[in-house]
């Protein structure tokens, strides 16, 4: 079997999500797409087009941009090609013949792909209709076999993915074995669009990004700020229960610190340029670890003081290419829910088990299921001894097993300085997000000489753990907005209760009720605008406020409220004190 032309992002047939049959189907659909495009637009040059996760694409070079109407025409032409059942014909050819063929056709991109096929590999063509592709397959038998498909959109894509290269037009589509599969997929995509955190963030006034500040830097608005405040409070309470100490470290530090830590050598490409402070280069902080180590080292520690657990909601700055920035989910400044634990070898497995317990508490409260991956030593580049790696990996494994957490092994997936547990959350749309990570560090304790005095009176190297459980607050928030569709539970909702007077006669009672709730710690607003009640109810619904209290003269006379719970409906009429106690309880227990 020959090796494939090196198309970017091209997944391997055998590892394709959905399996080989789906790969064939989508790969064939990509050829049908290209066939339709060259039929309709003879001026295009074709580049390449592999199956990708959830579909396929093909890249074209053409002076005029494809319009939505063009895409419709292309899809219609694809249906005709499917009806024609054009066979996919495989043919082995020679390099010279392929060269001549693509030169005659003026297909310079194909000539490039031909030039990078390894010398010992067979050059092969797949042909259907008028379309001849440099391709190793596999395909379905004929164009009738591509199942249910749809052309979805077009976007710019640099030739070979390099920003300095020319921009091609990438047409995306998707294909599934049956129409029902395709419909279900399209429904999921639509749902994901509705839940897009950038869209909901704007509509609900949660956060924004401004060119004036710079891309990838998040401004949290009051409502997003309230959600974050509640998340942080929960996070802090759970840490205090588990014997963590909170620390705070500066946002910039002398470059010397990052020389010692090795960040300057190993992570230079993600660190921002130095600034001059009294002739010394300083850098924005890319990681919190060195600061925590210095706190530990500010005095001597005996084994009796260990373990020591430092935690910080630490804001760090890392460079990301502008092309990959994405709302809150991929940013240049973010706050990690970071912690570093200093312990002895004997304490390591217990500490990891404790972290897993804390992680479970946090993730359950946010309504996530999750999967654990144990990432082991990389094959080539790594620090530390065989013994250290096996000890640390074993401790991670033991802690997972002790908690009865199923896990998969990610062979060779560890950092060069540490084995780790990576955890992926599963969101309401079935998508996976890597957030928590727990690493045993075999590097920094050596670089900084982090020690404790043992019971033998000698100095020993500490074992150090890094861990972040939400990951970063920005990314976690973005993912959580999409997980919930911004239907925040009562304990997190920026506004918990909207009091709505049924008519102006109830304004006083409504205002008084909201005031009472606020004094009781409930986040309540009252809508005293000169608007119809129906409009006020609609607005409160659009704001996704969990409770609505419509009050009229009858409620005012009786001192009651008749609450409406979003997603549930009308609750029974109750004294307003009873309603307040209910919301207080739900907030305290974080139960709703
Ligand atoms: Zn192909
Ligand atoms: Zn760290």
């Amino acid at each position: 079997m020959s090796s494939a032309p090196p198309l970017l992002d091209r997944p391997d047939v055998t590892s394709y999500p959905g399996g080989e049959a789906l790969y064939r189907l989508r790969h064939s659909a990509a050829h049908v797409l290209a066939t339709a495009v060259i039929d309709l637009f003879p001026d295009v040059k074709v580049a390449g087009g592999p199956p990708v996760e959830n579909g396929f694409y093909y890249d074209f070079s053409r002076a005029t941009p494809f319009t939505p109407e063009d895409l419709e025409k292309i899809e219609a032409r694809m249906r005709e090609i499917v009806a024609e059942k054009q066979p996919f014909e495989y043919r082995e050819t020679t390099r010279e013949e392929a060269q001549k063929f693509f030169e005659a056709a003026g297909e310079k991109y194909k000539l490039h792909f031909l030039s990078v096929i390894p010398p010992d590999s067979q050059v092969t063509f797949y042909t259907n209709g008028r379309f001849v592709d440099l391709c190793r397959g596999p395909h379905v038998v004929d164009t009738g076999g591509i199942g249910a498909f749809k052309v979805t959109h077009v976007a710019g894509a640099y030739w070979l993915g390099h920003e300095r290269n020319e921009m091609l037009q990438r047409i995306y589509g998707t294909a599934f074995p049956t129409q029902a599969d395709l419909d279900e997929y399209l429904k999921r995509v639509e749902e994901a669009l509705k839940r897009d955190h950038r869209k909901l963030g704007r509509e609900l006034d949660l956060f924004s990004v401004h060119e004036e500040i710079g891309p990838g830097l998040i401004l949290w608005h009051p409502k997003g700020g309230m959600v974050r405040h509640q998340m942080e409070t929960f996070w802090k309470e759970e840490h205090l229960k588990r014997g963590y100490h909170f620390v705070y470290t500066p946002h910039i530090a002398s470059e010397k610190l990052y020389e010692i830590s090795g960040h300057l050598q190993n992570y230079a490409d993600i660190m921002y340029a130095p600034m001059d402070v009294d002739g010394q280069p300083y850098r924005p902080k890319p990681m919190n670890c060195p600061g925590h180590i210095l706190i530990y080292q500010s005095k001597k520690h005996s084994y009796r003081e260990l373990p020591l657990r430092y935690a910080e909601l630490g804001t760090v700055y890392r460079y990301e290419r502008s092309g990959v920035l994405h709302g809150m989910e991929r940013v240049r400044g973010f706050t990690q829910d970071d912690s570093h634990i200093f312990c002895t070898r004997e304490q390591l497995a217990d500490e990891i088990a404790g972290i897993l317990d804390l992680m479970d508490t946090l993730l359950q409260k946010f309504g996530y299921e999750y999967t654990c991956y144990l990432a082991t030593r990389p094959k080539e580049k790594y620090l530390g001894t065989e013994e250290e790696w096996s000890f640390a990996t074993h401790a991670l494994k033991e802690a997972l097993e002790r908690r009865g957490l199923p896990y998969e092994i990610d062979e060779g997936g560890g950092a060069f300085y540490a084995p780790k547990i990576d955890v992926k959350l599963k969101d309401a749309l079935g998508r996976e997000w890597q957030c928590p990570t727990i690493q045993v560090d075999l590097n920094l304790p050596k670089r900084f000489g982090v020690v404790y005095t043992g019971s033998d009176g000698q100095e020993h190297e500490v074992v150090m753990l890094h861990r972040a459980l939400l990951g970063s607050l920005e990314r976690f928030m973005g993912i959580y907005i999409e997980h919930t569709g911004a239907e925040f539970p009562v304990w997190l909702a920026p506004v918990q209760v909207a009091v709505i007077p049924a008519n102006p006669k109830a304004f006083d009672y409504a205002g008084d009720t909201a005031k009472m709730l606020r004094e009781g710690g409930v986040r309540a607003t009252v809508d005293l605008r000169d608007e119809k009640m129906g409009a006020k109810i609609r607005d409160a619904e659009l704001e996704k406020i969990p409770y609505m209290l419509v009050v009229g003269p009858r409620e005012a006379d009786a001192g009651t409220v008749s609450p409406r719970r979003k997603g549930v409906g009308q609750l029974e009429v109750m004294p307003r004190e009873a309603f307040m106690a209910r919301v207080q309880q739900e907030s305290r227990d974080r139960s709703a």
Side-chain angles (χ1 to χ4, degrees):
M1 191 75 200
S2 64
S3 70
L7 295 179
L8 288 161
D9 311 328
R10 180 175 190 154
D12 191 352
V13 186
T14 49
S15 64
Y16 187 69
E20 203 216 301
L22 195 58
Y23 184 98
R24 277 174 193 274
L25 187 131
R26 288 180 176 163
H27 184 181
S28 305
H31 279 230
V32 172
L33 166 64
T35 313
V37 171
I38 60 164
D39 283 352
L40 293 169
F41 307 93
D43 59 321
V44 297
K45 296 295 168 221
V46 289
V52 286
E53 197 186 354
N54 296 321
F56 60 87
Y57 66 75
Y58 215 103
D59 286 344
F60 303 96
S61 167
R62 181 178 180 239
T64 339
F66 290 111
T67 63
E69 293 72 43
D70 291 338
L71 296 192
E72 275 173 35
K73 274 184 219 148
I74 292 165
E75 192 178 292
R77 177 65 195 133
M78 285 174 75
R79 295 200 189 284
E80 290 169 8
I81 295 166
V82 167
E84 286 166 20
K85 290 192 177 15
Q86 301 170 355
F88 284 104
E89 280 161 6
Y90 171 83
R91 187 160 69 82
E92 294 184 352
T93 177
T94 63
R95 228 158 267 268
E96 296 66 39
E97 191 196 345
Q99 176 92 20
K100 258 191 232 143
F101 177 82
F102 289 122
E103 266 169 11
E107 294 287 7
K108 63 171 175 170
Y109 307 102
K110 292 294 174 198
L111 285 167
H112 168 80
F113 288 135
L114 179 66
S115 74
V116 294
I117 294 179
D120 54 342
S121 295
Q122 177 67 50
V123 177
T124 57
F125 280 164
Y126 262 97
T127 305
N128 68 284
R130 294 204 307 115
F131 183 54
V132 182
D133 206 356
L134 182 68
C135 172
R136 64 159 184 177
H139 285 287
V140 294
V141 176
D142 62 51
T143 56
I146 70 165
F149 69 92
K150 186 170 172 57
V151 173
T152 54
H153 61 292
V154 59
Y158 293 108
W159 164 238
L160 300 178
H162 298 312
E163 285 164 33
R164 273 183 298 274
N165 287 351
E166 71 177 290
M167 180 77 89
L168 303 175
Q169 298 188 64
R170 176 168 295 177
I171 300 182
Y172 287 91
T174 189
F176 285 86
T178 68
Q179 190 64 41
D181 293 337
L182 174 64
D183 289 345
E184 198 208 295
Y185 169 76
L186 293 175
K187 223 171 74 195
R188 259 195 297 135
V189 171
E190 201 188 307
E191 188 56 36
L193 278 178
K194 264 194 257 164
R195 289 169 180 241
D196 188 311
H197 75 283
R198 294 165 301 176
K199 173 176 167 284
L200 289 174
R202 198 166 44 242
E203 287 170 5
L204 298 171
D205 199 13
L206 300 171
F207 75 95
S208 61
V209 185
H210 294 259
E211 277 304 318
E212 295 90 327
I213 288 185
L217 300 168
I218 303 297
L219 293 180
W220 295 71
H221 294 202
K223 284 182 179 150
M226 178 53 79
V227 178
R228 173 167 170 168
H229 170 68
Q230 298 300 332
M231 283 179 174
E232 289 185 357
T233 305
F234 171 47
W235 185 91
K236 285 181 182 169
E237 281 177 19
E238 291 302 324
H239 279 70
L240 287 176
K241 282 185 205 165
R242 291 167 166 83
Y244 280 81
H245 305 283
F246 297 134
V247 296
Y248 298 85
T249 59
H251 287 224
I252 62 168
S254 165
E255 215 176 72
K256 281 186 201 145
L257 183 64
Y258 302 117
E259 262 164 39
I260 303 173
S261 70
H263 288 121
L264 217 48
Q265 298 89 300
N266 292 307
Y267 298 99
D269 52 335
I270 62 153
M271 290 174 72
Y272 289 101
M275 60 193 101
D276 182 279
V277 180
D278 294 340
Q280 273 296 319
Y282 277 60
R283 298 270 194 160
K285 169 172 75 169
M287 286 179 190
N288 303 305
C289 345
H292 294 190
I293 290 174
L294 292 190
I295 295 171
Y296 178 91
Q297 287 186 312
S298 61
K299 70 188 212 44
K300 275 193 176 295
H301 294 280
S302 131
Y303 68 97
R304 288 192 205 85
E305 297 165 60
L306 301 186
L308 266 177
R309 309 182 186 111
Y310 294 160
E312 177 178 14
L313 293 168
T315 304
V316 295
Y317 301 90
R318 297 182 190 169
Y319 177 72
E320 293 267 14
R321 285 186 305 117
S322 63
V324 301
L325 297 173
H326 183 77
M328 284 187 137
E329 288 171 0
R330 195 97 181 248
V331 291
R332 287 176 171 170
F334 53 94
T335 302
Q336 292 182 302
D337 69 316
D338 209 357
S339 169
H340 296 94
I341 296 176
F342 303 89
C343 65
T344 67
R345 280 192 157 220
E346 293 69 36
Q347 293 166 335
L348 182 60
D350 278 347
E351 286 307 303
I352 300 164
I355 294 171
L356 291 173
D357 183 71
L358 172 55
M359 175 186 84
D360 187 71
T361 303
L362 298 179
L363 296 185
Q364 288 227 20
K365 205 47 111 180
F366 290 106
Y368 285 113
E369 287 176 23
Y370 57 88
T371 323
C372 301
Y373 297 83
L374 177 62
T376 61
R377 199 190 69 199
K379 279 211 177 56
E380 273 153 33
K381 201 183 146 205
Y382 61 89
L383 298 170
T385 65
E386 198 76 26
E387 192 276 335
E388 286 170 322
W389 276 89
S390 109
F391 165 74
T393 311
H394 184 80
L396 291 166
K397 204 183 270 185
E398 187 192 326
L400 283 165
E401 278 161 13
R402 223 195 289 166
R403 270 205 68 88
L405 283 174
Y407 61 93
E408 287 172 36
I409 303 270
D410 176 8
E411 200 64 60
F416 70 90
Y417 59 88
K420 55 180 181 167
I421 297 171
D422 285 330
V423 181
K424 287 184 183 164
L425 317 186
K426 196 167 177 188
D427 78 5
L429 298 180
R431 298 174 301 182
E432 286 202 315
W433 303 88
Q434 213 246 282
C435 290
T437 172
I438 305 167
Q439 311 188 341
V440 186
D441 192 325
L442 303 172
N443 177 36
L444 288 183
K446 287 194 182 65
R447 293 190 77 101
F448 280 88
V450 193
V451 295
Y452 68 94
T453 312
S455 56
D456 56 1
Q458 303 291 310
E459 287 198 333
H460 300 269
E461 192 176 288
V462 300
V463 179
M464 185 175 162
L465 278 159
H466 309 248
R467 52 116 276 216
L469 298 179
L470 306 179
S472 86
L473 289 170
E474 285 74 11
R475 185 159 175 275
F476 189 81
M477 177 76 166
I479 294 168
Y480 190 66
I481 290 171
E482 297 187 0
H483 177 53
T484 55
E487 304 275 352
F488 297 121
V490 173
W491 70 276
L492 283 172
V495 177
Q496 298 173 305
V497 181
V499 187
I500 297 172
N503 57 50
K505 279 184 211 139
F507 271 27
D508 283 350
Y509 182 68
D512 188 55
T513 303
K515 183 164 170 277
M516 184 196 98
L517 289 169
R518 279 198 296 269
E519 281 168 4
V522 173
R523 300 188 288 280
T525 57
V526 58
D527 192 341
L528 300 178
R529 289 177 304 161
D530 187 20
E531 291 278 349
K532 293 244 162 54
M533 185 178 78
K536 293 181 181 184
I537 291 176
R538 216 168 27 251
D539 287 349
E541 263 164 12
L542 285 175
E543 265 195 70
K544 303 179 190 278
I545 298 170
Y547 283 110
M548 219 185 290
L549 300 179
V550 177
V551 294
R554 203 162 20 140
E555 283 82 11
D557 287 344
T560 57
V561 292
S562 87
R564 201 183 289 188
R565 177 75 169 94
K566 193 160 194 305
V568 175
Q570 199 68 41
L571 307 182
E572 86 246 37
V573 175
M574 58 182 87
R576 55 186 189 174
E577 290 76 15
F579 173 73
M580 183 164 82
R582 176 189 171 119
V583 181
Q584 285 169 336
Q585 174 94 36
E586 286 174 346
S587 306
R588 202 166 40 240
D589 300 349
R590 303 188 171 97
S591 57

